[in-house]
Amino acid sequence: MSHARRLWSSPWASPALMGLALAAIAAVGPVGDGVGLCPYRNIFGVACPGCGMSRATAHLLNGDVQAALTYHPLVPLVVAQAVVGAVAWFGHKKGWWRVSQRTVVVLGVVNVVMLVGVWAARAVSGTLPPA
Protein backbone atom coordinates (compact mmCIF):
# COMPACT_ATOMS: atom_id res chain seq x y z
CA MET A 1 0.00 0.00 0.00
CA SER A 2 1.41 3.40 -0.97
CA HIS A 3 2.17 6.03 1.66
CA ALA A 4 -0.56 8.36 0.32
CA ARG A 5 -3.11 5.55 0.36
CA ARG A 6 -2.20 4.67 3.97
CA LEU A 7 -2.58 8.31 5.00
CA TRP A 8 -6.01 8.63 3.34
CA SER A 9 -7.27 5.41 4.90
CA SER A 10 -6.23 6.62 8.35
CA PRO A 11 -9.11 7.43 10.71
CA TRP A 12 -7.45 10.83 11.29
CA ALA A 13 -7.51 11.89 7.61
CA SER A 14 -10.91 13.57 7.46
CA PRO A 15 -10.83 15.24 10.91
CA ALA A 16 -7.31 16.51 10.24
CA LEU A 17 -8.21 17.95 6.82
CA MET A 18 -11.41 19.52 8.16
CA GLY A 19 -9.53 21.04 11.09
CA LEU A 20 -6.78 22.40 8.86
CA ALA A 21 -9.31 23.89 6.44
CA LEU A 22 -11.31 25.60 9.20
CA ALA A 23 -8.11 26.86 10.87
CA ALA A 24 -6.86 28.28 7.56
CA ILE A 25 -10.18 30.02 6.88
CA ALA A 26 -10.26 31.46 10.40
CA ALA A 27 -6.61 32.59 10.19
CA VAL A 28 -7.01 34.32 6.83
CA GLY A 29 -10.31 35.85 7.87
CA PRO A 30 -12.96 37.27 5.60
CA VAL A 31 -11.65 38.62 2.31
CA GLY A 32 -13.14 41.31 0.11
CA ASP A 33 -15.36 40.98 -2.90
CA GLY A 34 -12.51 41.00 -5.45
CA VAL A 35 -11.84 38.29 -8.03
CA GLY A 36 -12.48 34.95 -6.40
CA LEU A 37 -11.53 31.38 -7.16
CA CYS A 38 -15.02 30.32 -8.26
CA PRO A 39 -14.83 29.38 -11.96
CA TYR A 40 -18.61 29.73 -12.39
CA ARG A 41 -18.54 33.26 -11.00
CA ASN A 42 -15.46 34.20 -13.05
CA ILE A 43 -16.83 32.82 -16.33
CA PHE A 44 -20.52 33.76 -16.11
CA GLY A 45 -20.32 36.82 -13.85
CA VAL A 46 -23.03 35.44 -11.56
CA ALA A 47 -22.60 33.94 -8.12
CA CYS A 48 -22.84 30.14 -8.02
CA PRO A 49 -24.89 28.24 -5.40
CA GLY A 50 -21.85 28.08 -3.11
CA CYS A 51 -20.57 31.62 -3.65
CA GLY A 52 -20.01 33.42 -0.39
CA MET A 53 -19.52 30.20 1.57
CA SER A 54 -15.80 30.75 2.31
CA ARG A 55 -16.39 34.34 3.39
CA ALA A 56 -19.40 33.23 5.44
CA THR A 57 -17.35 30.51 7.14
CA ALA A 58 -14.59 33.00 7.95
CA HIS A 59 -17.13 35.39 9.50
CA LEU A 60 -18.78 32.54 11.43
CA LEU A 61 -15.44 31.28 12.81
CA ASN A 62 -14.57 34.84 13.83
CA GLY A 63 -17.87 35.17 15.72
CA ASP A 64 -19.77 37.45 13.33
CA VAL A 65 -22.87 35.32 12.78
CA GLN A 66 -24.92 38.09 11.13
CA ALA A 67 -22.26 38.74 8.47
CA ALA A 68 -21.89 34.99 7.95
CA LEU A 69 -25.60 34.58 7.31
CA THR A 70 -25.54 37.55 4.92
CA TYR A 71 -22.85 35.93 2.77
CA HIS A 72 -24.51 32.50 2.80
CA PRO A 73 -27.49 31.46 4.95
CA LEU A 74 -26.55 27.75 4.88
CA VAL A 75 -23.11 28.25 6.44
CA PRO A 76 -24.01 27.05 9.98
CA LEU A 77 -25.43 23.84 8.50
CA VAL A 78 -22.36 23.29 6.30
CA VAL A 79 -19.90 23.84 9.17
CA ALA A 80 -21.95 21.53 11.41
CA GLN A 81 -21.99 18.89 8.66
CA ALA A 82 -18.22 19.19 8.27
CA VAL A 83 -17.72 18.52 11.98
CA VAL A 84 -20.24 15.67 12.09
CA GLY A 85 -18.81 14.24 8.86
CA ALA A 86 -15.30 14.24 10.31
CA VAL A 87 -16.53 12.45 13.45
CA ALA A 88 -18.50 9.96 11.33
CA TRP A 89 -15.42 9.26 9.18
CA PHE A 90 -13.30 8.72 12.28
CA GLY A 91 -15.84 6.37 13.87
CA HIS A 92 -16.30 4.49 10.60
CA LYS A 93 -12.55 4.02 10.11
CA LYS A 94 -12.11 2.91 13.74
CA GLY A 95 -14.92 0.36 13.30
CA TRP A 96 -17.21 1.91 15.91
CA TRP A 97 -20.07 2.22 13.44
CA ARG A 98 -20.78 1.87 9.76
CA VAL A 99 -21.60 4.78 7.47
CA SER A 100 -23.38 3.48 4.40
CA GLN A 101 -22.71 4.77 0.92
CA ARG A 102 -26.45 5.33 0.51
CA THR A 103 -26.47 7.73 3.50
CA VAL A 104 -23.61 9.72 1.99
CA VAL A 105 -25.35 9.90 -1.41
CA VAL A 106 -28.70 10.94 0.10
CA LEU A 107 -27.03 13.68 2.16
CA GLY A 108 -25.17 14.84 -0.94
CA VAL A 109 -28.38 15.10 -2.96
CA VAL A 110 -30.17 16.92 -0.11
CA ASN A 111 -27.26 19.38 0.11
CA VAL A 112 -27.32 20.07 -3.63
CA VAL A 113 -31.09 20.63 -3.56
CA MET A 114 -30.76 23.01 -0.60
CA LEU A 115 -27.87 24.92 -2.20
CA VAL A 116 -29.71 25.34 -5.50
CA GLY A 117 -32.94 26.26 -3.69
CA VAL A 118 -31.25 28.94 -1.58
CA TRP A 119 -29.36 30.17 -4.66
CA ALA A 120 -32.59 30.51 -6.66
CA ALA A 121 -34.36 32.28 -3.79
CA ARG A 122 -31.44 34.67 -3.37
CA ALA A 123 -31.31 35.34 -7.12
CA VAL A 124 -35.02 36.19 -7.17
CA SER A 125 -34.71 38.41 -4.08
CA GLY A 126 -31.49 40.09 -5.29
CA THR A 127 -29.43 39.02 -2.28
CA LEU A 128 -26.69 37.01 -4.05
CA PRO A 129 -23.14 38.07 -3.16
CA PRO A 130 -21.62 40.49 -5.68
CA ALA A 131 -20.01 38.88 -8.73
Side-chain angles (χ1 to χ4, degrees):
M1 184 183 291
S2 72
H3 182 66
R5 190 160 179 83
R6 272 194 313 273
L7 282 176
W8 181 245
S9 64
S10 164
W12 295 103
S14 181
L17 289 174
M18 191 267 313
L20 286 172
L22 291 177
I25 291 170
V28 170
V31 294
D33 291 323
V35 176
L37 298 175
C38 177
Y40 187 91
R41 177 179 161 193
N42 292 334
I43 292 170
F44 298 109
V46 177
C48 75
C51 274
M53 194 65 77
S54 296
R55 290 170 283 177
T57 302
H59 281 293
L60 186 67
L61 294 175
N62 287 306
D64 191 351
V65 177
Q66 186 59 39
L69 294 174
T70 300
Y71 274 103
H72 206 292
L74 292 179
V75 73
L77 177 65
V78 171
V79 170
Q81 282 185 357
V83 171
V84 170
V87 170
W89 170 273
F90 183 80
H92 178 78
K93 286 295 185 179
K94 290 294 251 181
W96 296 341
W97 54 71
R98 187 177 175 313
V99 178
S100 73
Q101 184 176 0
R102 178 184 165 107
T103 301
V104 173
V105 169
V106 168
L107 286 173
V109 170
V110 168
N111 283 332
V112 168
V113 169
M114 286 191 317
L115 277 169
V116 171
V118 167
W119 178 64
R122 292 175 80 194
V124 169
S125 69
T127 59
L128 283 174

